[in-house]
Amino acid sequence: MTSPTRPTPDRPQSAIRRIIAPLASLKLTVLLIALSIILVFTGTLAQRHQGIWDVLHTYFRAPIVFIPLDIFLSERSERSFAVPFPGGYTIGLLMLLNLIAAHALRFRVKARGRRLLTGATLVAVGVLSIFWFHSGPLPARILSDAGGYAGVLPLMLVGALFYAPLVAGCALTFARRAGIVLIHASLMLLLAGEGVTAATALETQMPIYVGATSNWSQDIREVELVLIDPSSPESDLTIAISQSALQRAASSGELIANPAMPVAILVDRYFPNSDIRPLSPGEQPSATAGFGVNVAAVGLPRVTGVDRNRSINVPAAIVTLLREGLPIGTYLVSPHLQLASFIPAEQEVRIADRPYRLAMRFRRFHKPYSMRLDAFHHDLYPATNIPKNFSSDIHISDPARSIDHEVKIKMNNPLRFEGETFFQSGYIPANHPGEPDLGTVLSVVKNPGWTIPYIACAAGLIGLVYQFGASLIRFLRRSTP
Amino acid sequence: MTGRRVPDPRSFIGHRARRNHAPVCDREISTGDHETPEKITCKLLDAMNFYPNITVVRDKTMQVASSLTRTRSGTHHMTQHAARTSRFRLVLQPICIISACALASCDDAKEVRVYRAPKDTMTSVNARNQPASARNAPRNGALQPPSLQTEPMRAATNAGMSDELTWVLSEGWSEVAESSPMRLATLRTNRNGATNDVTVTKLAGRAGSLLANVNRWRNQLGLPPIDDAALAETVHPLERGAMPATVVDIEAPETADAPPQRMIACFFEHAGASWFFKITGDKRDVDALESEFMGICRSVHPKPRPAAQGSEPFNGTDMSAPNAELPPALTAPQSAGPLTFRVPPGWTQDPEPRVARVATILIDETPGAEMAISRFAGDVGGELANVNRWRRQLGLPPAATLADESVTNVNIAGHPARLYRFAASSASPDAQGMIVALMPHTNETWFFKLTGRVTDIDANRENLEAFLQSVSFTP
């Protein structure tokens, strides 16, 4: 009796195959591509009525989307029906499953024994070398040494060395199909990369006045209501209530309460986008204390993705503070209320004979380091008022880690620090013409998965070259007598 | 069968919690009372996968853990099978995690965050850069932040600006004599045999709330009143206007005895008064005139004070022209590049930058007329070449010499300059012309070029000379 060289499929494997087979269908692939085209099309049209970030989160970073049919009409309708449609998460996830299932069913490891071991080792070494290469300083150094775009070709040549073990490993393991495996792996990486970006990426702004030091950045797409206890001389105890909590409390009428809060907060009204105007003669203010006794908040339509002035939603809210069930006062809060650009005007509130400060501001993210703006430069093209370059001389310091150095951030030359990238994105203009600008605005982007699309594209390119190159060589061999 | 135990999620949490110790308060997992188990699970999975620095699993740990167990129990059957083949297990685990995240629509924003932050130093530094009114304001409830002073209020307090508004009419529009005492002006256009009017009304104060005005207009169109919430859908701010304003757009459906109606109103607040620009009529007509109406609204700006009321003393440099009369009063100093100047009443500096121009100054109520300031290195081919370039632009034949040109010697910011005037030979009232000052300065040549209809540029020549007098170079 001879022992079988290959195990016969047992019942569980058959069951797995039955489960996976529909997922691996090519028809499903085509259907998903068609659905994604429709999703992109409707998501683009939706930006006529919704802001670009709204669309991103409701269409593409959502499991399901309800597409209002009025996006296909020239005018917005109040009685429009909405059609449920798979969102970006669902389509992306199914695409990923489809790819994985196809590989599980159709692709076979060709190598056996020592060849398989060598191939698998090379693949592992290749993956490690690729991630080491992309996470290290080498790509940035090659680009800066070559002076920007001229460094792309040297970068690709050097990078190819780090991808070589992966290609060799795939060739040993999958033989002729190595190219296809690489291409599919790059697609999976792209899909997974978007998942990582959606979950972890954060883009904020860091405004700094000349001579000032800042240790926070803010997300101008989201606000927070803060109640600050300034009693400590070293630091402020900050209680920050998120925008979603404010919106939910406004619609449900529930109190916002937390053991750490000295008061409970009732959100009387919440305006997703607003303006502030002086009170009319005889008009009763909504607020009983603070700035709101002189002004009123007016609701405005939310900004859309096609707004020419690229404005943002600036919410406002009327909130009542309650201590032990008794109202302390009703306040109007909004980022509109500010002492100067980016400096929220905080309203003083006395709670249990202690002073607190209340403000609605854009959501802040504090940093463990601080940045001081020593100088800001705003260069113009000769003989015009057209900006040529903006640059900021920044002093970074973190005494805890002995960080103390100066950098220059300018357009197309960002600073990468602490896993974040600081771009020169704007400036705080002077109050009067002819005076120097007051400060800089840096765009702070944190995206741990930013290298994934690069890796995916590189792997895909190598896979394509391998696949077509191998086919060409086979063809030439066959046609040679 | 050698099945592998599915790890207890609680032990997994403990493992992660023990392994990481860096205190990052932002990454604490919060669990609000009203959150669904799916959402909590999502948060936890999200946090475990993407935030390595989890140190605190809060007081609802057990709830979180049990919800995770429940979620996994849903896939328990599959997991047992998966244990038989390592390949399938490798595939299934990430799928479960991604599915949980995708289906629960993660929202990792904490409801209430409590943290200590260093005191904000920006406020104190910025205070030095602020106007005294803001700097001296007490930091308490009585503070009136600068942003509460609306743009119209600021505009009205600007030197040289009156309490009145003025505007620029598009082609085909005219201002007709007004008989109604309520109306300040009527702007009229005749299109396709139909006459359409824009009414301009000025009322003291705020003339009631915006909602009251909107409901009054809705009533005029036979529509029921609306509330504050619906108001937001009806109004929007004026875009790209010279002054901030609120635009109200109301449409009335077709009725038995009237076609669909539409009304667009633009509401300005200026110097303590409310100004309404309003067009009403058949929806088709209003639709056709919408862009022109909005153009008029965007051009609305404070009327400069008459010369005698100019509050800013003139401080321009000398002109070389003999016996130059006192120039008309100019507005507050403005700047462009290295230049500082004052524009005459009725002239407005265009904030939009243009290629190869230092500044562009628009002349109100004279469409097509403007003054461009530009500078170029060297002598730009010499005076004669420049003169012939300008002559060519007006369709005039080139000149062999400068002897026959209409030229005046002037002095701009202490530098000698030549002021040329050209007019097209056409007898049409729309014949174009230009007055150009050419000033060599250091290694550059500066041009101050006033272009437009001959009648307009001649009417503005005195203003141009006053403007040139006011020019100085920023040290």
Side-chain angles (χ1 to χ4, degrees):
Chain A
M1 188 180 146
T2 55
S3 63
T5 53
R6 185 181 294 188
T8 51
D10 55 18
R11 286 173 62 192
Q13 275 186 322
S14 302
I16 293 164
R17 185 171 281 270
R18 275 203 303 277
I19 294 168
I20 294 181
L23 266 180
S25 157
L26 189 62
K27 286 178 186 168
L28 178 64
T29 314
V30 175
L31 174 71
L32 290 172
I33 291 172
L35 290 177
S36 61
I37 291 171
I38 295 171
L39 185 71
V40 169
F41 178 66
T42 50
T44 309
L45 281 185
Q47 288 176 44
R48 290 167 60 232
H49 303 320
Q50 280 179 272
I52 188 165
W53 287 95
D54 261 2
V55 169
L56 182 69
H57 287 288
T58 52
Y59 280 70
F60 301 108
R61 291 181 179 168
I64 190 164
V65 53
F66 291 87
I67 300 173
L69 294 181
D70 67 350
I71 61 169
F72 300 105
L73 306 175
S74 57
E75 297 291 330
R76 191 166 198 180
S77 165
E78 286 179 8
R79 292 187 295 275
S80 176
F81 291 103
V83 177
F85 196 82
Y89 276 158
T90 305
I91 293 177
L93 181 69
L94 285 174
M95 278 184 163
L96 195 59
L97 291 175
N98 182 243
L99 265 175
I100 293 169
H103 271 264
L105 272 192
R106 301 196 188 107
F107 287 77
R108 287 282 174 267
V109 175
K110 299 289 183 187
R112 291 285 179 273
R114 186 173 295 173
R115 185 186 167 98
L116 176 61
L117 185 67
T118 314
T121 309
L122 279 173
V123 168
V125 169
V127 169
L128 289 176
S129 76
I130 289 167
F131 279 94
W132 181 83
F133 171 66
H134 283 286
S135 58
L138 192 56
R141 195 180 303 158
I142 292 171
L143 285 175
S144 64
D145 288 350
Y149 292 114
V152 171
L153 190 61
L155 178 63
M156 287 176 73
L157 293 175
V158 173
L161 295 176
F162 290 88
Y163 282 77
L166 176 69
V167 179
C170 282
L172 278 177
T173 313
F174 299 103
R176 282 185 180 185
R177 289 185 174 261
I180 297 283
V181 169
L182 277 174
I183 295 165
H184 283 195
S186 75
L187 290 175
M188 290 181 209
L189 257 186
L190 271 181
L191 289 166
E194 168 52 21
V196 173
T197 301
T200 61
L202 181 65
E203 186 178 335
T204 53
Q205 274 189 352
M206 181 183 271
I208 318 175
Y209 279 82
V210 176
T213 303
S214 174
N215 65 344
W216 53 265
S217 63
Q218 61 181 7
D219 181 358
I220 57 168
R221 292 178 288 275
E222 192 181 342
V223 294
E224 60 187 9
L225 180 72
V226 289
L227 191 61
I228 298 169
D229 176 1
S231 55
S232 163
E234 287 87 28
S235 59
D236 289 340
L237 179 69
T238 306
I239 298 160
I241 297 155
S242 72
Q243 176 173 303
S244 56
L246 293 173
Q247 283 175 306
R248 196 167 27 245
S251 58
S252 68
E254 288 175 6
L255 277 174
I256 299 174
N258 184 294
M261 292 167 57
V263 286
I265 295 177
L266 186 65
V267 183
D268 299 330
R269 291 204 61 183
Y270 181 84
F271 304 91
N273 190 20
S274 69
D275 198 5
I276 302 290
R277 60 164 176 79
L279 284 177
S280 314
E283 184 181 0
Q284 286 299 312
S286 305
T288 59
F291 304 143
V293 296
N294 296 320
V295 293
V298 186
L300 295 180
R302 287 171 188 257
V303 297
T304 68
V306 292
D307 278 347
R308 290 184 184 173
N309 52 7
R310 295 184 300 169
S311 57
I312 53 166
N313 288 314
V314 182
I318 312 284
V319 296
T320 300
L321 309 188
L322 299 141
R323 173 92 175 162
E324 293 167 355
L326 296 173
I328 292 175
T330 301
Y331 294 83
L332 167 63
V333 288
S334 170
H336 277 301
L337 306 173
Q338 52 183 8
L339 287 170
S341 304
F342 307 104
I343 307 291
E346 292 156 352
Q347 313 186 44
E348 191 172 288
V349 180
R350 288 199 78 79
I351 302 169
D353 283 335
R354 288 179 63 185
Y356 284 79
R357 300 204 304 266
L358 178 75
M360 177 186 270
R361 67 187 188 192
F362 291 114
R363 189 180 175 196
R364 278 192 187 178
F365 296 85
H366 285 85
K367 313 287 181 195
Y369 51 86
S370 61
M371 288 188 166
R372 187 181 72 222
L373 178 64
D374 290 333
F376 178 70
H377 309 281
H378 179 167
D379 307 325
L380 302 175
Y381 279 101
T384 70
N385 281 337
I386 299 171
K388 181 182 180 185
N389 191 32
F390 297 102
S391 58
S392 306
D393 296 343
I394 298 282
H395 184 107
I396 307 175
S397 65
D398 181 1
R401 289 179 296 164
S402 304
I403 294 174
D404 187 54
H405 59 261
E406 289 173 355
V407 291
K408 188 184 238 344
I409 300 172
K410 55 185 180 183
M411 287 160 73
N412 302 323
N413 193 3
L415 162 74
R416 295 189 196 283
F417 181 69
E418 294 285 300
E420 292 177 318
T421 310
F422 295 77
F423 297 93
Q424 180 66 62
S425 71
Y427 64 101
I428 308 169
N431 290 322
H432 303 290
E435 292 179 356
D437 296 319
L438 297 179
T440 188
V441 181
L442 304 174
S443 178
V444 186
V445 179
K446 177 188 171 191
N447 184 3
W450 71 277
T451 53
I452 294 177
Y454 291 93
I455 297 171
C457 289
L461 176 68
I462 291 169
L464 285 167
V465 170
Y466 184 96
Q467 190 65 24
F468 288 114
S471 298
L472 182 65
I473 290 167
R474 282 199 298 274
F475 170 75
L476 291 175
R477 276 183 185 160
R478 276 203 299 272
S479 57
T480 307
Chain B
M1 188 186 78
T2 54
R4 206 179 75 172
R5 275 178 62 81
V6 177
D8 183 347
R10 277 167 288 193
S11 66
F12 185 44
I13 296 165
H15 172 64
R16 294 297 292 252
R18 280 195 300 277
R19 202 172 57 177
N20 299 288
H21 298 289
V24 177
C25 61
D26 255 5
R27 295 293 177 243
E28 289 176 0
I29 304 167
S30 72
T31 56
D33 288 338
H34 50 276
E35 294 193 57
T36 60
E38 286 74 19
K39 198 159 186 180
I40 296 170
T41 308
C42 165
K43 274 189 175 180
L44 186 69
L45 289 170
D46 181 17
M48 286 194 303
N49 282 284
F50 300 117
Y51 301 138
N53 288 322
I54 297 170
T55 56
V56 181
V57 177
R58 290 189 140 185
D59 50 353
K60 297 201 175 174
T61 304
M62 293 311 291
Q63 282 186 27
V64 173
S66 61
S67 69
L68 182 65
T69 311
R70 275 208 303 279
T71 307
R72 288 212 170 190
S73 67
T75 57
H76 184 64
H77 177 71
M78 287 179 68
T79 315
Q80 279 187 325
H81 282 293
R84 293 171 193 167
T85 55
S86 59
R87 186 177 67 178
F88 191 71
R89 191 165 56 238
L90 282 173
V91 170
L92 192 66
Q93 276 189 341
I95 293 173
C96 288
I97 292 171
I98 294 167
S99 308
C101 275
L103 293 173
S105 290
C106 302
D107 177 11
D108 68 344
K110 290 178 65 172
E111 301 289 288
V112 179
R113 292 189 300 153
V114 183
Y115 58 89
R116 281 207 167 270
K119 289 189 178 292
D120 196 351
T121 57
M122 288 254 284
T123 311
S124 56
V125 170
N126 179 60
R128 292 202 298 271
N129 298 315
Q130 288 307 303
S133 57
R135 196 164 59 237
N136 298 334
R139 198 177 168 77
N140 57 30
L143 172 63
Q144 177 90 343
S147 60
L148 297 188
Q149 190 191 13
T150 58
E151 282 299 327
M153 289 179 191
R154 269 200 286 278
T157 58
N158 283 349
M161 294 298 160
S162 74
D163 292 345
E164 298 301 308
L165 294 181
T166 186
W167 49 86
V168 181
L169 291 182
S170 312
E171 195 177 334
W173 287 79
S174 58
E175 195 164 334
V176 296
E178 193 44 68
S179 56
S180 165
M182 289 291 287
R183 285 188 189 176
L184 196 73
T186 299
L187 317 177
R188 180 163 293 169
T189 184
N190 293 297
R191 297 285 161 87
N192 305 325
T195 300
N196 289 282
D197 287 350
V198 168
T199 60
V200 183
T201 316
K202 179 186 175 187
L203 298 170
R206 285 186 54 87
S209 68
L210 181 64
L211 181 64
N213 280 303
V214 169
N215 280 333
R216 182 164 53 82
W217 295 325
R218 287 181 64 86
N219 185 42
Q220 289 169 7
L221 292 175
L223 296 171
I226 56 172
D227 59 11
D228 268 330
L231 183 67
E233 300 294 321
T234 311
V235 302
H236 61 270
L238 176 67
E239 289 182 359
R240 293 178 289 124
M243 286 178 64
T246 303
V247 179
V248 181
D249 195 342
I250 304 172
E251 286 183 23
E254 187 175 2
T255 59
D257 50 3
Q261 300 286 304
R262 185 178 178 194
M263 194 206 77
I264 312 175
C266 197
F267 166 52
F268 294 85
E269 287 177 275
H270 177 64
S274 301
W275 295 67
F276 301 97
F277 289 67
K278 198 170 68 161
I279 184 167
T280 314
D282 191 317
K283 182 175 182 306
R284 280 177 307 179
D285 294 341
V286 177
D287 287 354
L289 292 169
E290 181 180 1
S291 63
E292 290 181 36
F293 170 73
M294 296 313 293
I296 294 172
C297 293
R298 287 188 189 106
S299 76
V300 173
H301 58 276
K303 202 172 193 171
R305 286 185 200 281
Q309 295 177 25
S311 56
E312 291 286 328
F314 175 68
N315 197 21
T317 51
D318 291 337
M319 290 273 287
S320 65
N323 303 320
E325 291 178 5
L326 280 177
L330 305 179
T331 53
Q334 299 179 34
S335 66
L339 285 190
T340 302
F341 49 79
R342 295 161 186 252
V343 297
W347 289 24
T348 312
Q349 185 178 356
D350 188 355
E352 199 70 30
R354 312 262 186 103
V355 176
R357 282 193 192 177
V358 176
T360 304
I361 299 181
L362 305 173
I363 296 164
D364 305 344
E365 299 177 12
T366 47
E370 66 175 32
M371 196 190 64
I373 306 175
S374 52
R375 69 174 183 183
F376 296 93
D379 64 355
V380 205
E383 205 163 331
L384 180 61
N386 280 301
V387 165
N388 280 331
R389 182 162 55 86
W390 296 325
R391 291 180 66 88
R392 203 165 47 244
Q393 287 170 4
L394 293 173
L396 297 170
T401 67
L402 296 172
D404 297 332
E405 298 301 327
S406 163
V407 61
T408 313
N409 288 323
V410 295
N411 216 328
I412 302 173
H415 302 279
R418 308 258 284 166
L419 192 64
Y420 286 91
R421 177 187 175 280
F422 306 95
S425 51
S426 163
S428 156
D430 289 334
Q432 296 292 300
M434 65 173 76
I435 303 176
V436 194
L438 179 151
M439 179 188 73
H441 175 45
T442 57
N443 294 322
E444 297 175 328
T445 306
W446 285 73
F447 300 103
F448 300 80
K449 191 160 91 169
L450 175 64
T451 53
R453 290 187 303 193
V454 175
T455 48
D456 291 336
I457 63 163
D458 285 343
N460 277 284
R461 180 167 183 133
E462 191 185 345
N463 279 337
L464 173 67
E465 291 174 353
F467 173 83
L468 294 176
Q469 276 190 328
S470 78
V471 171
S472 62
F473 284 90
T474 310

